[in-house]
Amino acid sequence: MTERLAAQILEYIRGSGLPVGFHLTAQELSERFSVSRFPVGLALQLLASKGALTHQRNRGYFVSDVKDTSPESLGLAVRDESSSIYFRIAEDHLHGRLPDPASEAYLKETYGITKAQLSAVLGRIAQEGWAERRPGYGWSFSPMLTTPESLEQTYRVRLALEPAALLEPMYHLNPEVTARCREAELRLLAGAIETDSADALHERGVRFHEAIIGASGNPFFLEAVRRINRVRRLLSYRSMIDRKRYRQQCEEHLMILDLLEQERNEDASQALRRHLEHTIGNLQAIRPILEH
């Protein structure tokens, strides 16, 4: 588990374009990967021992130069069995193949997994909001977000919220955040669109939008967007089978960053609105994939 988590953290660092010297906190990583702070601490120690991070006494862990570093080059286990189980359960849920409620005994037997593996996967699913524990018996899986229509509805809510967030009077996007977002987009345009996992592509988009909305100075915008992002994962992963549209998305992200950097927030808000409208239009083109 420590090696898998270390590999995930390293991919997060590279995929986000985190600069050398960036401070990694156990709390933020534990929330991002849905684990406790203890395994995160072990993973950070492992990455530091391999030179991917530096450790400063009483200050924590900081990013080293990982530009040409991969989990494989560090000898880290990259196969995440829990992710494989997660996607199997997700596909069965999308196809209506799961009983409601489903007992933990049923899930363990159906997917051939241990209690610890099931606990980890169900913890992630519960955090994302598409399953909850039933009092006294099993788990119920939410009927939300199992159709293309429900995914489009989430984008329409975002269309109402996100452009407005850029017009808040206290809006300020930190230059370091801008630089990280831009580097992540340029990395995709340089070839990572074809090589990154669906999980990594989804996280890149989530990080971009949460970064620019988080700069609004109004925490309610960010909380609303985060909740939507948690529950739209199922169909978002499936939509990534077709990656042709991602180059346009990256270019639109970069244009929005440029406008925000110039403090042209009205123009950035309109650009973000067009960007989300393009995404809604693209959903119609890939509808057969979403309905598969």
Side-chain angles (χ1 to χ4, degrees):
M1 177 179 179
T2 299
E3 287 197 9
R4 287 198 303 270
L5 184 56
Q8 288 177 301
I9 292 172
L10 181 59
E11 290 292 4
Y12 160 62
I13 293 169
R14 298 174 68 211
S16 302
L18 299 184
V20 174
F22 183 85
H23 184 205
L24 293 168
T25 67
Q27 182 61 42
E28 193 274 335
L29 292 172
S30 67
E31 292 174 0
R32 178 171 295 278
F33 294 106
S34 304
V35 296
S36 70
R37 293 178 63 174
F38 179 71
V40 169
L42 294 178
L44 292 174
Q45 289 177 27
L46 179 59
L47 288 171
S49 72
K50 293 179 177 292
L53 302 177
T54 59
H55 180 251
Q56 298 181 22
R57 185 177 178 84
N58 298 324
R59 292 194 62 208
Y61 292 89
F62 300 83
V63 174
S64 296
D65 185 1
V66 297
K67 183 171 59 177
D68 299 317
T69 305
S70 66
E72 293 87 350
S73 70
L74 297 182
L76 298 174
V78 295
R79 178 172 172 78
D80 184 356
E81 194 63 36
S82 66
S83 286
S84 173
I85 298 163
Y86 168 93
F87 284 114
R88 288 172 60 197
I89 294 176
E91 279 297 306
D92 285 345
H93 177 45
L94 287 171
H95 284 95
R97 292 193 287 254
L98 291 176
D100 187 32
S103 70
E104 292 192 7
Y106 168 85
L107 294 170
K108 282 170 55 182
E109 181 178 353
T110 300
Y111 298 101
I113 55 178
T114 66
K115 183 176 181 180
Q117 288 174 318
L118 180 62
S119 177
V121 171
L122 289 176
R124 173 180 176 179
I125 292 172
Q127 185 183 54
E128 292 175 4
W130 52 279
E132 61 178 6
R133 186 187 294 276
R134 291 276 296 249
Y137 181 83
W139 289 74
S140 284
F141 292 85
S142 169
M144 290 178 59
L145 291 185
T146 57
T147 66
E149 290 81 8
S150 57
L151 181 59
E152 182 174 330
Q153 286 169 351
T154 68
Y155 277 98
R156 294 201 176 281
V157 174
R158 292 175 60 197
L159 190 60
L161 288 173
E162 295 191 22
L166 271 54
L167 301 177
E168 284 291 284
M170 299 298 292
Y171 193 92
H172 175 70
L173 186 60
N174 188 301
E176 291 184 0
V177 175
T178 305
R180 288 203 302 273
C181 288
R182 180 175 284 111
E183 188 170 343
E185 300 300 324
L186 292 173
R187 175 181 170 273
L188 288 181
L189 289 173
I193 288 175
E194 301 301 328
T195 58
D196 274 6
S197 66
D199 213 347
L201 281 175
H202 177 81
E203 284 298 324
R204 184 274 318 181
V206 165
R207 286 193 296 270
F208 173 83
H209 285 271
E210 291 185 0
I212 64 172
I213 302 310
S216 70
N218 185 334
F220 296 102
F221 277 110
L222 181 58
E223 178 56 34
V225 171
R226 279 179 170 167
R227 179 167 178 78
I228 292 169
N229 284 335
R230 283 196 296 269
V231 299
R232 71 182 176 91
R233 285 175 180 265
L234 292 185
L235 286 171
S236 290
Y237 287 146
R238 180 177 284 177
S239 73
M240 289 171 189
I241 294 173
D242 179 3
R243 303 188 178 206
K244 294 189 293 292
R245 69 192 191 283
Y246 278 93
R247 179 165 292 275
Q248 178 185 0
Q249 288 191 7
C250 289
E251 291 169 349
E252 291 174 355
H253 283 182
L254 289 170
M255 181 176 66
I256 292 167
L257 289 174
D258 288 342
L259 292 170
L260 290 173
E261 208 167 29
Q262 298 165 31
E263 299 185 355
R264 295 167 56 188
N265 284 49
E266 287 276 359
D267 292 334
S269 176
Q270 290 301 316
L272 179 55
R273 175 174 294 279
R274 290 192 298 271
H275 169 67
L276 292 170
E277 288 172 343
H278 290 163
T279 303
I280 292 171
N282 287 332
L283 293 180
Q284 298 302 318
I286 61 171
R287 190 181 184 94
I289 295 174
L290 299 175
E291 292 177 331
H292 175 66

